[in-house]
Amino acid sequence: MSALLEAVERDFLPIAETYGMRQVGYWQVAPGLGTIPETVSVWELDDFGHYVDVVRQRFEGPRADLGQWFDGVGEWVESSESLLCFPSELTPTVAQIRERNLRAKLCSHEMIHVQPARQAEYLRLAEEMWFRRVAEPAGRSIVGLYWSPWKNTRAICIWGQGEEWENVNPFGKEEAWVADTDFEIWQTLGREIRTDWDDRFLVPTSFSTVH
């Protein structure tokens, strides 16, 4: 893991910058909730044309740096999974993350299983009913809420759990969420779209934009 992170910071971040790929965040999965050792990274691109250009450069471009990087990651990486996603309405851009100095010492990473073709709908409901009424008052922040048109039953939520370690409380603030009326309303409404979910905790690397 340490060798991978050193290589990402030393070699890949400069490459990504030259291709206009902006890092949202780079995390390690925390022990106790999730599979370790594992990393999660999120990158921001302008649009689908930008994505296609990066892919073209990877396989046919005159420069060899991007291809060499991906050809060489097998030295550290056993397997990986990628998704090309749209952000939700309230998801901040990288520029907004920097302007707001968004920090999160611990993030929760939710892989939400939803009814077919209702990924974006779930995120709209999560922003209005979960974030505004329950999570934000408890000190949570939106790092990124995403959905992919190529993953018909999956939405992804990354929530900041606290700017500093003393602010981190994974199970709510003050009274337990399970006794909160808004929490109960969200659970009822969420079940109309959501079928299941998997959670894990993430800790930002030293070079993560969200740190």
Side-chain angles (χ1 to χ4, degrees), residues 18 21 25-27 33 39 51-52 60 70 82 89 92 96 118 124 135 145 154-155 158 160 166 176 191 202:
T18 65
M21 300 168 58
Y26 207 106
W27 299 269
L33 188 65
T39 64
Y51 167 74
V52 170
E60 298 181 358
F70 284 109
S82 301
E89 183 178 349
Q96 290 170 332
R118 301 186 73 179
R124 289 194 296 269
L145 311 182
R154 185 73 56 83
I158 303 178
E166 55 266 27
R191 280 196 296 268
L202 307 178

Side-chain angles (χ1 to χ4, degrees), residues 3 12 19 22 54 73 76 103 112 117 127 133 138 168 182 197:
F12 186 67
Y19 286 93
R22 299 173 293 275
V54 170
V73 293
W76 313 287
R103 300 192 305 274
I112 310 294
E127 288 178 336
R133 298 168 184 251
V168 172
D182 285 326
W197 72 86

Side-chain angles (χ1 to χ4, degrees), residues 1 4-5 8 23-30 35-43 94 97 102-109 141-146 156-161 165 200-211:
M1 176 63 74
L4 169 64
L5 298 181
V8 169
Q23 183 216 126
V24 175
Y26 207 106
W27 299 269
Q28 294 186 71
V29 175
T35 303
I36 57 172
E38 192 167 287
T39 64
V40 173
S41 61
V42 179
W43 302 87
V94 171
I97 288 172
L102 180 60
R103 300 192 305 274
K105 292 299 183 182
L106 188 74
C107 291
S108 56
H109 182 238
S141 60
I142 293 178
V143 175
L145 311 182
Y146 305 101
I156 300 170
C157 301
I158 303 178
W159 308 98
Q161 294 279 344
W165 285 110
R200 53 187 173 176
F201 290 137
L202 307 178
V203 177
T205 63
S206 60
F207 55 82
S208 178
T209 305
V210 177
H211 57 81

Side-chain angles (χ1 to χ4, degrees), residues 66-87:
L66 197 62
Q68 288 175 347
W69 168 261
F70 284 109
D71 288 343
V73 293
E75 181 178 348
W76 313 287
V77 178
E78 183 177 278
S79 64
S80 65
E81 180 182 4
S82 301
L83 281 174
L84 191 63
C85 297
F86 289 109

Side-chain angles (χ1 to χ4, degrees), residues 152-208:
N152 194 36
T153 58
R154 185 73 56 83
I156 300 170
C157 301
I158 303 178
W159 308 98
Q161 294 279 344
E163 291 188 354
E164 302 297 340
W165 285 110
E166 55 266 27
N167 306 127
V168 172
N169 186 343
F171 204 61
K173 184 178 181 182
E174 299 175 355
E175 68 175 355
W177 288 359
V178 292
D180 182 82
T181 300
D182 285 326
F183 177 87
E184 293 178 356
I185 292 172
W186 161 247
Q187 288 293 77
T188 301
L189 292 175
R191 280 196 296 268
E192 294 298 314
I193 304 176
R194 183 183 61 238
T195 60
D196 201 358
W197 72 86
D198 299 295
D199 281 304
R200 53 187 173 176
F201 290 137
L202 307 178
V203 177
T205 63
S206 60
F207 55 82
S208 178

